[in-house]
Amino acid sequence: MSRSRRLTPHDMRGRYERLPPETRFMALVDSSGGPDACWPWLGGVDKDGYGKFSTKKCGEKQRHLRSHRYAFFLAHGRWPDNLATHRCDNPPCCNLKHLWMGTHQ
């Protein structure tokens, strides 16, 4: 019996846009530290250190997002009203336990 393995970014080469955004997203998040640890974004980051993610699928308009905001969307089915901020103060972290809706203050 074969064991299922986690999809890696390398596995996505050549078929990236054909995979659902949720699959592409989770392949670029390292959740191996456990449920309470930071889950760093393994993809590209912006000048502020936040993960960058594109939701483009074939035939759709491309939308660039910060990875922690997309993690919030996947968990709650809606975008944060204002900001998705980190309790851990770690910009590339995508662990939902570390994210909450906040403001600049």
Side-chain angles (χ1 to χ4, degrees), residues 63 65 68-84 96 99-102:
R63 185 172 184 187
L65 306 163
H68 68 288
R69 288 182 56 82
Y70 193 68
F72 187 95
F73 173 77
L74 289 178
H76 300 287
R78 64 183 177 89
W79 298 104
D81 295 333
N82 198 350
L83 299 174
L96 294 173
L99 300 175
W100 58 283
M101 279 198 295

Side-chain angles (χ1 to χ4, degrees), residues 14-32:
R15 59 185 181 135
Y16 184 78
E17 287 187 354
R18 290 181 280 164
L19 294 171
E22 301 83 10
T23 303
R24 290 188 286 119
F25 179 82
M26 289 310 297
L28 293 169
V29 173
D30 179 7
S31 60
S32 64

Side-chain angles (χ1 to χ4, degrees), residues 45-104:
V45 296
D46 65 15
K47 64 180 177 56
D48 299 320
Y50 292 94
K52 297 187 306 185
F53 181 67
S54 171
T55 61
K56 180 175 175 143
K57 291 195 289 189
C58 289
E60 288 186 4
K61 183 179 178 184
Q62 190 163 8
R63 185 172 184 187
H64 298 284
L65 306 163
R66 285 185 165 179
S67 59
H68 68 288
R69 288 182 56 82
Y70 193 68
F72 187 95
F73 173 77
L74 289 178
H76 300 287
R78 64 183 177 89
W79 298 104
D81 295 333
N82 198 350
L83 299 174
T85 58
H86 293 90
R87 294 183 201 285
C88 59
D89 237 0
N90 184 9
C93 179
C94 293
N95 187 339
L96 294 173
K97 289 185 176 182
H98 297 191
L99 300 175
W100 58 283
M101 279 198 295
T103 65
H104 285 289

